[in-house]
Amino acid sequence: MEMRAIEDIAIGQDLTPPLRPLAFVLRDSALSSHCSACLSTLPPQEFPPFAPSFPQNPYHVPIDTPTPLYCSPSCSSLDSPLHLSSGEPHLHSLLLQSPTSTWNDDSSDLRLSLRLVHIFGKLPQHYRFSPKFPGSMSSGQKNGALERIAGLMTNQWLLHRVAVYETAFSWINHSCSPNACYRFLMGLEDNVELPALRITPAAKSGCGNGYDNGFIMEGDVEKNGYGPRIIVRSIKAVNKGEEVTIAYTDLLQPKEMRRAELWSKYRFSCSCKRCGAMPEAYVDNALQVRFYLIGIVCCQSQSSDYKIEKLMQSFDNAVTDYLSSGDPIWCCKNLENLLTHGHLNNKTREPNEAKSPQKLKLHPYHYLSLNAYTALSSAYKVHASDLSVLNSDIETQKLEAFKMYKTSAAYSLLLAGAAHHLFTFESSLVTTVANFWMNAGESMLNLSRSFLWASFLNLSPTHLEFLSVSTQKCNCRCLGDILEPNSRNMEFEEIKSRLHKCIANITPKVWSMLASESSFLKKIRNPIDFSWLASPEASMVSILEGEECDEQVRMYIFLLSIHCLRYGALFSSICYGLSAEMNCYTTLGFLKEFA
């Protein structure tokens, strides 16, 4: 059960046409707000299940049963027959309200299972099985049907909806160093040439063990004419006959965490090249590396292990509390303390810790550090927004909000820089890196265009003058490519190299100003180039002096934001195609008018 390439495939190519789901359902929480057929937001006039061939309430469904709703009669007619014939209306009364039921309040998995049972019941004879699910399975080829459903169910799209796809997608195995990713399409595309299916089951490509009966042939299952379509895309070059893999988990987790999550959710132990590397892959080592304040990697002892565990738990708790409570002030205070001092506050330290010359801290690449940067970028932004809205006329509050926006942008840039360093050793992180660069660019773009600059820094150039002067600060051709989206004069690697060089040149001009409000950020000499970490005696000790917020710095922040957006869009084009780059051009479209 694996998929292989049927030809040589370059990086950034679609491996499949848009694949429609075998079945999909909305989660119970979204049933009242989204159309159960096309997934769009419901209009004021909603439509119930519509099936004129059925008598009214044919299954004697209780009135309080969770019922799909539709945005139009056409959507209702598309989905209603499957909804009624699969037996979904029985769920609420027969199972969910049962005193002995162990199911939670969400019936989406149950409804999806019933739809799959109903759909697989229509398959040719060797796919069919008794409706007495699952106790009366016969032997032979029939006994694979439930296994195939179980396998498909592990590839669910778990947002506010659940979708299951046939083997062209569900048989793509996991790797912690995958060569492919996937994206979803919700709208209909007219007059677009669809890519061919460029992958096939190993058994059919001659690369497998000969097992063939488990593959769902095209036409075996009646495809839905609606639902979230999925496209698989290469993020590395794939040779003919090579297995195509995707990631089932977050690749910025260390090996043991990935393995634990994969076993918990999918019941397998990963043995991919990255997990089996000896010695351990650089990225996995970096995601777990730890050091003391003076830069010495901590020795492994019972005492240090206890302190490491305690510190990691403090980080985990701080991020989890922010995600659950949404308190940005608490998050900023405590995560800053953890990053800077290695503890939450004086009360949480051990009695002898204050006298110890060694204070345990996490490396800037540690996965918990990356999680902290993400949380802090969000928390500072939320805090700044609250200050701006609630105290819009108080100058001191405006200044405080501006400082929060600065720090949020700084953490976004640090996150992008740290992840990019890891990406240079593990190219399968391209999707994550693309998102981080785009987020950093958007954060700095919003900062550079904020009204807060003019409110207390006495900066008064017009927006047009500001844009025009800023765009002239870059001497390379990479900025010109932004302004001409149809121009592909430079190869991908050359554009990438030029963009990164510009980012590395501009960052030192603004970093001190961006990092000036954070005791931790001031110890980061350069968020893009981490070569300073190679010097143990200097690691995380040097304190940067903040620079004054003037018009020159503002223009460099604006220029840096453009390059980060363009850099992120370049990586996104690998994962999502040219449309991702075009979205960046739309974001920066106003530049062309003023450049």
Side-chain angles (χ1 to χ4, degrees), residues 10 24 111 147 171 270 314 325 421:
F24 72 97
R111 288 186 284 116
E147 294 179 5
W171 275 14
C270 185
S314 296
S325 66
H421 171 80

Side-chain angles (χ1 to χ4, degrees), residues 262-506:
L262 291 170
W263 179 257
S264 173
K265 290 183 178 180
Y266 305 104
R267 290 296 187 268
F268 71 86
S269 296
C270 185
S271 57
C272 70
K273 183 178 180 180
R274 177 179 167 187
C275 288
M278 293 298 291
E280 191 173 50
Y282 172 81
V283 171
D284 286 318
N285 181 64
L287 289 170
Q288 299 178 88
V289 68
R290 298 165 284 231
F291 65 84
Y292 288 114
L293 180 62
I294 56 175
I296 302 176
V297 177
C298 61
C299 59
Q300 292 300 309
S301 65
Q302 186 174 3
S303 175
S304 65
D305 283 346
Y306 169 75
K307 291 181 179 179
I308 288 169
E309 195 65 35
K310 182 178 178 182
L311 177 62
M312 292 175 65
Q313 188 61 51
S314 296
F315 266 98
D316 220 12
N317 291 340
V319 173
T320 301
D321 287 347
Y322 172 62
L323 294 177
S324 60
S325 66
D327 185 346
I329 301 176
W330 188 94
C331 175
C332 294
K333 177 182 177 181
N334 288 286
L335 279 180
E336 285 279 357
N337 279 332
L338 282 170
L339 288 170
T340 307
H341 306 296
H343 54 76
L344 277 173
N345 51 55
N346 291 334
K347 294 180 180 180
T348 62
R349 287 185 287 181
E350 293 297 305
N352 298 327
E353 186 177 351
K355 301 178 182 180
S356 173
Q358 295 179 324
K359 294 186 179 181
L360 190 64
K361 290 170 52 178
L362 295 178
H363 195 281
Y365 301 151
H366 194 282
Y367 79 96
L368 286 175
S369 295
L370 301 181
N371 291 345
Y373 306 157
T374 305
L376 284 168
S377 176
S378 170
Y380 276 114
K381 183 177 180 180
V382 171
H383 190 192
S385 179
D386 291 343
L387 288 173
S388 299
V389 173
L390 298 177
N391 304 284
S392 58
D393 297 327
I394 304 175
E395 292 301 315
T396 56
Q397 297 298 334
K398 288 183 180 180
L399 178 59
E400 186 67 18
F402 182 76
K403 292 178 179 180
M404 298 297 102
Y405 279 124
K406 279 199 311 177
T407 310
S408 173
Y411 272 111
S412 294
L413 184 59
L414 175 59
L415 179 63
H420 185 271
H421 171 80
L422 299 177
F423 162 75
T424 60
F425 295 89
E426 178 51 69
S427 61
S428 60
L429 295 173
V430 60
T431 305
T432 301
V433 168
N435 292 331
F436 286 166
W437 280 118
M438 293 290 286
N439 289 338
E442 290 175 1
S443 183
M444 286 184 290
L445 179 63
N446 292 333
L447 174 64
S448 68
R449 301 172 67 195
S450 172
F451 71 93
L452 293 172
W453 288 83
S455 65
F456 60 89
L457 295 176
N458 297 319
L459 303 176
S460 59
T462 65
H463 191 57
L464 186 147
E465 291 173 343
F466 171 64
L467 294 174
S468 181
V469 173
S470 299
T471 54
Q472 294 173 14
K473 291 287 185 180
C474 183
N475 297 320
C476 72
R477 290 181 292 164
C478 58
L479 186 56
D481 277 5
I482 297 176
L483 306 177
E484 299 292 340
N486 294 324
S487 172
R488 309 294 292 183
N489 296 328
M490 293 184 288
E491 296 293 333
F492 177 88
E493 289 298 327
E494 184 181 355
I495 298 174
K496 185 174 74 171
S497 176
R498 286 180 177 273
L499 281 166
H500 188 267
K501 182 178 180 180
C502 282
I503 291 172
N505 289 337
I506 300 171

Side-chain angles (χ1 to χ4, degrees), residues 17-18 189 192-196 229:
E189 290 150 356
V192 176
E193 184 178 352
L194 299 179
R229 293 164 298 157

Side-chain angles (χ1 to χ4, degrees), residues 158-231:
L158 298 177
L159 294 177
H160 69 268
R161 58 189 72 90
V162 180
V164 174
Y165 297 85
E166 60 176 304
T167 50
F169 177 69
S170 66
W171 275 14
I172 300 178
N173 288 326
H174 163 83
S175 171
C176 295
S177 182
N179 54 23
C181 66
Y182 55 92
R183 72 181 191 273
F184 293 98
L185 298 177
M186 301 304 299
L188 298 177
E189 290 150 356
D190 299 325
N191 303 320
V192 176
E193 184 178 352
L194 299 179
L197 183 65
R198 305 170 72 181
I199 57 178
T200 189
K204 290 189 173 291
S205 67
C207 304
N209 57 10
Y211 176 74
D212 184 51
N213 292 327
F215 183 59
I216 303 174
M217 298 296 294
E218 185 176 355
D220 283 342
V221 179
E222 181 180 351
K223 303 292 193 305
N224 293 316
Y226 52 93
R229 293 164 298 157
I230 198 167
I231 294 179

